[in-house]
Amino acid sequence: MSMDFAPPKYAQVMTAIQQRITEGEYAPGDMLPSETQLVREFGVGRTTVVRALQTLAMQGWIEREHGRGSFVKGRPETSADRIRPALETAEHAESAESITDVRRVPAPRHVARLLGVDARTPVIERRRVAKQGGRRSAVETFWFPLEVALGTDLDKPEPLRHGIRQHLQAVKHLRFDHITERLTARMSTEEEAELLGSSAPVLGVLATVHDASGTVLLAMSVAMPGDLHELLDVYPVS
């Protein structure tokens, strides 16, 4: 049995463009070849090229402007860094839709374990849907201990004018020091499927954000459609 594996055509197009960006052939600010040019160059269908460009935009390699084309942003800090944007993005930004739900709830068992509190301890749950390229790209759910949310706007349904990180630093003088995360591939829950408009399997990230002393400031879950996201990492071999 052959062990050879051929990546999907859209992934091959992505890899070629990523390599050109990494090697400087396409510099930040440069316009990529048009979809028609890429179709001819790679010998693939337009749908394949569009999917490759959409995924590159989701990952932060390029920016697509309707009616103009695709422009290089540069290589992301790390393609696997999927938590930081959720903490930094202002909720009134175009990439975030309106808040789906903000409420005070008993901490689910797995969340209580992450926060280091007893199960059913009241927490503030804040959920939103991220959107990119005209498609819903992630369901982001945050859980805050009451003592962290007290005196902030985190328990209010109005969109935050700044990202969660900046808001907590400005209002409570809390500073994020490090993040612990776990990544899994799983089926979407019924609620996630409804919010994403897709029942496709998701990449799920479950994370905790800590201050310098190691205290957990919040827990968060990000569910991303598997057909829009993929893992890519480059590291030296010693």
Side-chain angles (χ1 to χ4, degrees), residues 96-174:
E97 293 193 352
S98 59
I99 297 300
T100 302
D101 195 19
V102 178
R103 54 184 179 164
R104 179 169 171 165
V105 299
R109 186 177 299 276
H110 72 289
V111 173
R113 188 165 52 248
L114 292 172
L115 295 176
V117 300
D118 294 334
R120 312 292 293 176
T121 298
V123 295
I124 299 299
E125 180 185 85
R126 189 176 187 90
R127 177 174 292 142
R128 67 190 183 195
V129 178
K131 185 173 67 173
Q132 205 151 11
R135 179 173 172 182
R136 297 183 177 190
S137 59
V139 175
E140 303 166 349
T141 308
F142 308 86
W143 296 275
F144 303 92
L146 295 185
E147 61 269 22
V148 171
L150 181 65
T152 73
D153 294 333
L154 295 172
D155 59 349
K156 298 178 175 60
E158 293 78 14
L160 296 176
R161 297 185 60 184
H162 303 288
I164 289 173
R165 177 181 181 181
Q166 186 176 352
H167 183 72
L168 279 174
Q169 183 172 324
V171 177
K172 298 291 290 280
H173 307 293
L174 296 175

Side-chain angles (χ1 to χ4, degrees), residues 204-222:
V205 181
L206 191 61
T208 48
V209 179
H210 307 251
D211 65 14
S213 70
T215 300
V216 179
L217 301 176
L218 64 101
M220 60 185 295
S221 167
V222 180

Side-chain angles (χ1 to χ4, degrees), residues 5-20 38 41-44 48-49 51-53 55-56 230:
F5 170 73
K9 290 183 179 179
Y10 85 93
Q12 297 177 40
V13 175
M14 285 179 56
T15 300
I17 295 174
Q18 288 167 338
Q19 183 174 358
R20 294 173 188 178
L38 292 173
E41 176 182 355
F42 291 102
V44 297
T48 298
V49 167
R51 183 177 182 186
L53 294 176
T55 307
L56 287 169
E230 64 179 20

Side-chain angles (χ1 to χ4, degrees), residues 20-37:
R20 294 173 188 178
I21 293 174
T22 300
E23 295 177 351
E25 182 178 346
Y26 295 157
D30 284 354
M31 178 184 288
L32 291 182
S34 68
E35 292 178 6
T36 300
Q37 290 172 311

